[in-house]
Amino acid sequence: MQGEADRVRAINQRFYDAVSHQNMLAMEQVWSHTRYVRCVHPGWNMLEGWDMIRESWREIFTDAICLTVEAEDPDVTVLGPTAIVTCREKITTFTLDGSSTSMAQATNIFEKVDGRWLLIHHHASPLALPEPEGPGESD
Amino acid sequence: MQGEADRVRAINQRFYDAVSHQNMLAMEQVWSHTRYVRCVHPGWNMLEGWDMIRESWREIFTDAICLTVEAEDPDVTVLGPTAIVTCREKITTFTLDGSSTSMAQATNIFEKVDGRWLLIHHHASPLALPEPEGPGESD
């Protein structure tokens, strides 16, 4: 099962690479296009079905001048043809006004179809930042 | 598969009944006790393993004078021995100062073990309230 977990970890990383490169083609390949795919962006209402989800990523990629999402401590559980990955996301957004960093907790669910792991569920929710940014800042 | 989805929907409801009745025994029965169970309460860091999760429910049940969580629009996807339920949670907390209501988006994952569906993953995250409360509310 270790090999399978490694494969899931790799596809999970590919998802975050697609986000950080604003690569819609890679996003299309990482996600399943079935009707039961679901996506919760931090603070958003849940999106249902691939059409809505694809549109949301298009919007996110259009709005951000630059956006990177790093997956920290990915933890993989493989249950037959389904796999659950949890990780913390370090989200950095660059705009004309500078950069901002936020953290989120993610649950990603993958399904193995014809030997390929595909993302079917992404739920990310805001987390408090571990420590305040900036010099001299206290409480 | 419809019968299986109904069984998952019923166990999902049993989870919310256990919360709303602050029933630790029912909670013990709804959850799997495996090492890979995970729980994200709204705004909390993720908890890993049944011991931490049980302790968190104990705390929540102790802190609340009364707490109800209603699952709205549960949506069930069964993938072999794994099932994913999404729903919105209407959380009402009663304290000495009165009551407050909040909404959350939940992803619940169940695993079928020896013919029984058990909760292995609960991820709930804050949602904006749909409309302000008040006497002038219509429909």
Side-chain angles (χ1 to χ4, degrees), chain A residues 38 75 105 107 121 123 125, chain B residues 38 75 105 107 121 123 125:
Chain A
R38 299 285 182 269
D75 178 69
Q105 174 64 50
T107 295
H121 192 103
H123 184 160
S125 58
Chain B
R38 300 285 182 268
D75 178 69
Q105 174 65 48
T107 295
H121 193 103
H123 185 161
S125 57

Side-chain angles (χ1 to χ4, degrees), chain A residues 36 38 40 43-46 48 75 77 79 81-82 84 86 88 105-107 109 111 120-121 123-127, chain B residues 36 38 40 43-46 48 75 77 79 81-82 84 86 105-107 109 111 120-121 123-127:
Chain A
Y36 53 82
R38 299 285 182 269
V40 183
W44 291 38
N45 285 318
M46 187 175 71
E48 304 188 14
D75 178 69
T77 300
L79 300 167
T82 309
I84 306 165
T86 59
R88 282 191 311 282
Q105 174 64 50
T107 295
I109 310 174
E111 184 184 15
I120 58 169
H121 192 103
H123 184 160
S125 58
L127 277 181
Chain B
Y36 53 82
R38 300 285 182 268
V40 182
W44 292 39
N45 286 318
M46 187 176 71
E48 304 187 15
D75 178 69
T77 300
L79 299 167
T82 310
I84 306 165
T86 59
Q105 174 65 48
T107 295
I109 310 175
E111 184 184 14
I120 58 168
H121 193 103
H123 185 161
S125 57
L127 277 181

Side-chain angles (χ1 to χ4, degrees), chain B residues 12-80:
Chain B
N12 189 65
Q13 183 55 47
R14 213 178 301 162
F15 165 61
Y16 287 106
D17 288 345
V19 178
S20 296
H21 295 133
Q22 281 94 76
N23 185 335
M24 268 315 295
L25 184 62
M27 211 52 143
E28 298 253 0
Q29 291 168 345
V30 163
W31 279 84
S32 166
H33 298 182
T34 50
R35 63 177 171 71
Y36 53 82
V37 293
R38 300 285 182 268
C39 180
V40 182
H41 297 296
W44 292 39
N45 286 318
M46 187 176 71
L47 306 173
E48 304 187 15
W50 173 238
D51 288 348
M52 284 182 78
I53 294 170
R54 175 174 49 203
E55 194 51 39
S56 75
W57 288 113
R58 279 228 180 90
E59 271 179 45
I60 289 169
F61 292 168
T62 305
D63 289 350
I65 289 180
C66 187
L67 164 74
T68 64
V69 181
E70 290 168 62
E72 297 182 348
D73 296 327
D75 178 69
V76 180
T77 300
V78 178
L79 299 167

Side-chain angles (χ1 to χ4, degrees), chain A residues 14 24 45 94-95 98 104 108-110 114 118 122 130 137:
Chain A
R14 213 177 302 162
M24 267 317 292
N45 285 318
F94 299 88
T95 67
N108 298 324
I109 310 174
F110 296 85
D114 298 332
L118 294 170
H122 170 64
E137 210 171 320

Side-chain angles (χ1 to χ4, degrees), chain A residues 15-26:
Chain A
F15 165 61
Y16 288 106
D17 288 346
V19 178
S20 296
H21 295 133
Q22 282 94 77
N23 185 334
M24 267 317 292
L25 183 62

Side-chain angles (χ1 to χ4, degrees), chain B residues 90-118:
Chain B
K90 185 178 175 188
I91 305 167
T92 309
T93 315
F94 300 89
T95 67
L96 291 174
D97 298 324
S99 71
S100 69
T101 300
S102 59
M103 295 295 298
Q105 174 65 48
T107 295
N108 298 324
I109 310 175
F110 296 85
E111 184 184 14
K112 196 174 188 182
V113 181
D114 298 333
R116 281 180 63 209
W117 287 103
L118 295 169

